[in-house]
């Protein structure tokens, strides 16, 4: 096992899923996915948006934390970064857990399509961005709110332009939202210019500034906007 521990996984299935064995749903994965974390908030949004037809139906898979700051951060040379938890820099192992253990179980137990996505805020947003730049084939859609791009002295943003320019794979989607707090972080301010300069044609990306929100309030309103935008139902032409 990549993490050498038992992890609790929470799963939300949309209405009607159990009645249709043939239905195959895309899967939205979320770190910070415990019942006492963000899972219920996002599950509620998915339920409402699916019901009112402004989002395609998704299976939501929440990964409950045990050592959040260990799992969601990459290596760092910053002494200040290393002070935030007894252990940091475990994102590669966490990604391996998702890829080799969690995803196969979800595919085995549920009727899923090949489409996958991931959503996260703060350190989870950092993990989302790191995964896009280091292992882009793991997901089709990446959604990050106030990602902690200050980590390791902005190393991820420093690598963004080179890694984006080198990407030659299939189509991907990225949505990033920033709050008034995030806007004051120099590393975060450099992300949008890097995307404008280097994002390949096959990366559909959105960067939204939400100055009315803070780091503590951005998740819910940003998730509402993101889910409606990147997972909007396909428009069916009306007959004339």
């Amino acid at each position: 096992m990549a993490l050498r521990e038992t992890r609790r996984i929470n799963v939300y299935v949309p209405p009607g899923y159990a009645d249709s064995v043939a239905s195959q749903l895309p899967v939205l994965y979320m770190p910070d996915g415990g019942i006492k974390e963000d899972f219920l908030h996002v599950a509620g949004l998915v339920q409402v948006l699916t019901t009112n037809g402004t989002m395609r139906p998704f299976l939501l898979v929440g990964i409950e934390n045990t050592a959040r700051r260990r799992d969601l951060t990459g290596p760092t040379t910053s002494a200040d970064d290393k002070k935030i938890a007894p252990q940091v820099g475990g994102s590669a192992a966490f990604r391996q857990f998702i890829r080799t253990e969690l995803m196969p179980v979800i595919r085995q137990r549920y009727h899923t399509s090949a489409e996958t996505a991931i959503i996260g805020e703060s350190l989870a947003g950092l993990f989302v961005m790191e995964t896009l730049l280091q292992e882009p084939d793991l997901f089709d859609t990446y959604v990050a709110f106030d990602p902690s791009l200050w980590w390791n002295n902005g190393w991820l943003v420093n690598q963004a332009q080179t890694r984006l320019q080198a990407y030659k794979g299939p189509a991907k989607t990225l949505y990033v939202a920033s709050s008034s707090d995030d806007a004051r972080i120099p590393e975060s301010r450099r992300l949008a210019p890097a995307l404008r300069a280097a994002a390949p044609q096959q990366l559909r990306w959105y960067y939204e500034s939400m100055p009315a929100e803070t780091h503590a309030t951005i998740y819910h309103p940003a998730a509402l906007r993101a889910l409606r935008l990147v997972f909007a139902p396909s428009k069916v032409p009306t007959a004339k």
Side-chain angles (χ1 to χ4, degrees), residues 50-226:
T50 300
T51 300
N52 66 27
T54 56
M55 174 187 174
R56 292 184 286 123
F58 267 75
L59 192 77
L60 179 66
V61 177
I63 309 167
E64 192 162 311
N65 287 311
T66 57
R68 181 177 187 267
R69 293 176 175 179
R70 174 200 68 192
D71 292 340
L72 299 179
T73 59
T76 182
T77 59
S78 167
D80 288 337
D81 288 354
K82 295 175 182 178
K83 294 176 183 178
I84 71 169
Q87 185 179 358
V88 297
S91 59
F94 189 56
R95 211 164 13 252
Q96 181 183 351
F97 160 72
I98 294 173
R99 180 180 63 252
T100 64
E101 299 175 46
L102 180 57
M103 284 181 161
V105 169
I106 295 300
R107 289 193 294 265
Q108 179 184 19
R109 295 186 182 182
Y110 298 91
H111 311 302
T112 65
S113 69
E115 182 184 355
T116 58
I118 184 169
I119 187 171
E121 182 259 352
S122 195
L123 287 178
L126 173 71
F127 180 79
V128 169
M129 294 300 304
E130 182 188 275
T131 303
L132 171 66
L133 295 176
Q134 295 190 2
E135 195 173 339
D137 289 339
L138 192 56
F139 300 98
D140 299 296
T141 301
Y142 295 80
V143 180
F145 313 131
D146 266 10
S148 300
L149 297 174
W150 46 265
W151 184 258
N152 194 21
N153 301 308
W155 182 88
L156 202 61
V157 181
N158 296 338
Q159 298 291 312
Q161 188 163 334
T162 300
R163 290 179 179 268
L164 288 169
Q165 289 173 334
Y167 180 70
K168 306 299 181 185
K172 302 291 176 181
T173 300
L174 169 67
Y175 177 96
V176 182
S178 64
S179 73
S180 57
D181 294 331
D182 195 57
R184 292 196 290 267
I185 299 172
E187 295 82 3
S188 296
R189 292 200 300 270
R190 291 194 284 117
L191 179 59
L195 288 166
R196 283 193 292 269
Q201 185 176 5
Q202 60 269 47
L203 177 64
R204 179 180 64 150
W205 64 275
Y206 307 90
Y207 190 100
E208 289 199 75
S209 175
M210 303 182 71
E213 306 301 334
T214 67
H215 194 70
T217 66
I218 192 172
Y219 203 132
H220 198 279
L224 176 64
R225 293 169 67 92

